[in-house]
Amino acid sequence: MADDAHDFDALWIDVHLATLARDAAGYGEIRDGAIAVKNGRIAWLGHQGDIPAGSTARVTEDGRRLWLLPGLIDCHTHIVYAGNRSDEFEDRLNGATYEEIARRGGGIASTVKATCAATEADLLAASGPRVESLLAEGVTTLEIKSGYGLARDAEAKMLRVARTLGDMLRVRTTFLGAHALPPEFAGRADDYIDAVCDNMLPALAAEGLIDAVDAFCDTIGFSRAQAERVLSAARSRGLPVKLHAEQLSNQHAAALAARYDALSVDHLEWLDGDGVAAMAAAGTIAVLLPGAFYYLRETRLPPVQALRDAHVPIAVATDCNPGSSPVTSLLTTMNMACTLFRLTPLEALRGVTIHAARALGLADDVGSLEVGKAADFALYDIARPADLAYAVGFNPCVAVVNGGLSRPPRPGGPSD
């Protein structure tokens, strides 16, 4: 065997690669390419004619000249929950206001009630099909937030279910205890933040259930000062932070998050120039959530051009949740990002790969096809990478590989 030859676990040949590498031009296209896997990592990739002479592989897969891309990353979800709020959706369309629905026990309170009443088995059974929907589109990494428990044991239950879902794909857990004010703390928001910072956070961190910490800073969430207490408590424990911010109003919370070196700030419809500059200086990722914008029929657009001008990386996510974005299709979300927010297909695709990886602190491991990174990728029956942001209601994914392990082609998909 030649000195530069290799023994690979798997070799995918006859594929067009879109590497999405951070320093690559455009999509990082390598036509007529190949990619090799060893010990769950990408061991080699390039033009098929450049495969090291004498290399062997235990398994060789023929990609049939389809496109192979990094596994997609959904970097903002609330996918673990119980209950259903379609009745509220119908009521709003019939003229009821959010406040009216909330006064009768609806809104987030109804999801908290259902989630607290559910067992871990119930939550796993409810969440599994949502995750499967994303997996079928080529999603290989998923962020899952808590925040529908609002008490230590219930938040722990959600996070344990999220960890269990990690058997299906790569999962990052985010503690979102500061999501809403529980009824028993009505008028005592500071006391609840005490419970989040002094009780829930230490206990859940000690159990190894938290990868990052988030808070909702807005008029219907928590104040800037309260959010800062959560960020400070998390950072004091060495945990990275994120923030729901500037969705419904400008609380100048993006700049606050940047001061704490936040991985990301998410929503951002009301983000101002100072917030953009602070995020750029801190290297904080902007996560856009067009599903919530669409579902709530919002009209104020996030400042996409200002983010571009400041070189703030833009990620895109489903924000899957029962109240404001019951979306379980990252491909549809990419199309929404293009049609509603005017992202280009390249920006949308980078937003669900390399920039989404940065929003989770995983850019050294996933998000692009590069030697040494995890062998997480998906094969698509498309003419060009931009097709993933083009069609709505069509899933061209035919195979998914997680850590070098193949999932079978999607039943009924183009490969059948």
Side-chain angles (χ1 to χ4, degrees):
M1 186 177 291
D3 289 343
D4 57 352
H6 300 275
D7 292 320
F8 299 126
D9 295 331
L11 178 66
W12 288 73
I13 61 172
D14 203 19
V15 290
H16 302 313
L17 304 175
T19 68
L20 278 300
R22 192 182 307 184
D23 57 354
Y27 296 98
E29 297 182 15
I30 303 175
R31 291 180 177 267
D32 302 314
I35 188 167
V37 175
K38 179 78 172 179
N39 297 326
R41 297 271 161 182
I42 297 172
W44 181 91
L45 78 163
H47 292 285
Q48 187 162 313
D50 295 332
I51 296 173
S55 294
T56 62
R58 283 187 282 176
V59 176
T60 299
E61 302 280 2
D62 185 352
R64 298 180 291 114
R65 298 183 64 79
L66 303 182
W67 279 92
L68 192 145
L69 281 78
L72 305 185
I73 299 169
D74 195 350
C75 64
H76 181 129
T77 84
H78 307 252
I79 211 163
V80 173
Y81 63 86
N84 181 290
R85 284 159 65 181
S86 62
D87 57 336
E88 298 176 14
F89 174 68
E90 186 172 19
D91 287 347
R92 283 200 303 273
L93 293 175
N94 284 323
T97 67
Y98 182 85
E99 289 76 15
E100 289 170 343
I101 293 170
R103 277 199 299 270
R104 68 177 190 231
I108 190 173
S110 66
T111 300
V112 171
K113 182 178 180 180
T115 301
C116 288
T119 65
E120 288 186 32
D122 294 335
L123 289 175
L124 188 61
S127 305
R130 301 175 197 129
V131 176
E132 285 285 359
S133 178
L134 294 170
L135 277 169
E137 292 187 342
V139 172
T140 56
T141 299
L142 181 65
E143 187 252 20
I144 301 177
K145 301 181 189 294
S146 65
Y148 291 127
L150 307 186
R152 187 178 69 182
D153 291 347
E155 291 285 299
K157 176 174 63 177
M158 292 185 68
L159 292 167
R160 282 194 296 269
V161 171
R163 287 281 193 239
T164 301
L165 290 168
D167 293 339
M168 301 170 67
L169 77 175
R170 192 182 307 271
V171 166
R172 297 290 281 181
T173 58
T174 298
F175 170 55
L176 182 57
H179 190 199
L181 189 65
E184 62 270 26
F185 282 89
R188 298 189 296 123
D190 285 333
D191 291 342
Y192 179 65
I193 294 298
D194 286 344
V196 169
C197 296
D198 301 336
N199 184 330
M200 294 188 220
L201 178 54
L204 300 176
E207 288 188 52
L209 295 174
I210 301 175
D211 295 322
V213 175
D214 197 351
F216 181 29
C217 182
D218 217 314
T219 52
I220 62 171
F222 293 93
S223 71
R224 196 169 182 273
Q226 290 161 348
E228 181 166 14
R229 290 178 58 199
V230 175
L231 300 183
S232 177
R235 297 299 287 138
S236 71
R237 293 182 172 276
L239 292 166
V241 297
K242 306 164 73 69
L243 197 65
H244 285 61
E246 329 304 26
Q247 179 187 9
L248 305 173
S249 64
N250 183 8
Q251 300 292 311
H252 306 287
L256 166 67
R259 285 215 320 269
Y260 286 87
D261 295 319
L263 290 173
S264 73
V265 182
D266 305 27
H267 284 292
L268 298 174
E269 283 87 338
W270 288 79
L271 180 66
D272 64 13
D274 289 343
V276 171
M279 291 174 65
T284 297
I285 309 302
V287 178
L288 304 186
L289 305 172
F293 180 92
Y294 164 83
Y295 194 79
L296 296 176
R297 295 182 291 175
E298 296 289 351
T299 58
R300 187 180 179 98
L301 294 166
V304 170
Q305 190 57 51
L307 293 167
R308 288 173 178 144
D309 292 343
H311 305 291
V312 175
I314 298 172
V316 175
T318 63
D319 191 20
C320 175
N321 74 76
S324 64
S325 188
V327 177
T328 54
S329 169
L330 193 55
L331 297 182
T332 299
T333 304
M334 290 171 63
N335 178 271
M336 288 181 179
C338 294
T339 56
L340 298 176
F341 295 164
R342 299 296 187 264
L343 265 62
T344 67
L346 174 58
E347 287 174 325
L349 189 49
R350 285 189 173 275
V352 298
T353 53
I354 187 62
H355 292 163
R358 293 179 66 184
L360 298 180
L362 295 176
D364 290 338
D365 204 39
V366 295
S368 60
L369 301 179
E370 299 179 74
V371 171
K373 286 196 171 184
D376 290 2
F377 45 80
L379 190 69
Y380 295 95
D381 190 356
I382 53 179
R384 51 197 299 268
D387 286 358
L388 292 187
Y390 166 61
V392 174
F394 176 66
N395 179 11
C397 183
V398 299
V400 182
V401 173
N402 273 96
L405 300 177
S406 297
R407 293 173 58 85
R410 179 174 55 86
S415 64
D416 291 346

